[in-house]
Amino acid sequence: MLFRSVFASHGVGAGRSVTQGVTDMELGAKYVLVDGATHRLGLAVEPVLSLPTGIDALTSGAYDPTVKLAWSLPVAAGFSASGNANLARVGDELGRYTETMLTAAAGHDLPGGFSGFWEVYGSLASGRPGAAAWNVDTGVTHLLAKAVQVDVEVGRGLTGTATDWFVGAGIGIRAPRVFR
């Protein structure tokens, strides 16, 4: 389960708008295809369902299914690389459309149980002209308990359709394993 709160800025000058609030909650599961602890490369598939629980400006207003293919790889000197290839069916005021997203990230453990990350990601919404958006962000995560992780991030949009600047914070809660 994932909860996220966002502060985002769009545009400049008199046309600038700011959005602040909670995004849609996500429920998901992870099925490990290749265990990264046993093999160098880790692979997993993650079905996710986004629930329309966010504020009006940060919700699709629909139940949006997504499937993610996630990978991770230790690199060197405590650094790791990871990413996702996602396929989603998203709803909006015009109806349903298919969105694809790619992410690539680098991470590193920090003192005090924190981890830092740097990420680039982009999405393309089929049937929505001009909807390609690319972003970069960086942040830290911290495991509060065995099954609870918090994170904060700050990022910047790289394309005209992306959010100019954003700051976010979230909490992820892991449920017990169902299958072993």
Side-chain angles (χ1 to χ4, degrees):
M1 189 175 343
L2 179 68
F3 300 93
R4 179 156 299 288
S5 180
V6 174
F7 176 86
S9 170
H10 307 271
V12 294
R16 181 172 178 259
S17 67
V18 173
T19 303
Q20 180 178 351
V22 177
T23 63
D24 289 346
M25 180 175 65
E26 293 181 346
L27 295 175
K30 181 186 282 189
Y31 181 77
V32 176
L33 301 170
V34 178
D35 187 357
T38 306
H39 303 78
R40 243 180 101 66
L41 176 68
L43 290 174
V45 64
E46 301 177 28
V48 176
L49 181 63
S50 176
L51 308 175
T53 57
I55 66 166
D56 287 346
L58 297 173
T59 184
S60 72
Y63 294 88
D64 301 325
T66 300
V67 65
K68 300 178 180 186
L69 178 61
W71 62 272
S72 62
L73 181 69
V75 182
F79 283 90
S80 62
S82 61
N84 295 314
N86 305 346
L87 183 64
R89 286 291 291 164
V90 181
D92 66 9
E93 64 279 352
L94 301 176
R96 287 244 172 234
Y97 63 94
T98 300
E99 181 178 71
T100 54
M101 178 181 275
L102 295 173
T103 71
H108 194 281
D109 287 340
L110 301 171
F114 288 86
S115 293
F117 66 89
W118 305 266
E119 178 180 44
V120 61
Y121 59 95
S123 64
L124 177 61
S126 299
R128 300 297 191 265
W134 284 92
N135 299 277
V136 293
D137 67 345
T138 186
V140 293
T141 65
H142 185 66
L143 202 59
L144 293 178
K146 188 175 181 178
V148 180
Q149 178 176 297
V150 295
D151 67 78
V152 294
E153 66 181 340
V154 61
R156 173 96 170 110
L158 300 175
T159 57
T161 53
T163 301
D164 290 338
W165 288 99
F166 57 91
V167 175
I171 183 168
I173 302 168
R174 184 182 341 177
R177 286 186 179 183
V178 177
F179 303 105
R180 296 221 182 245

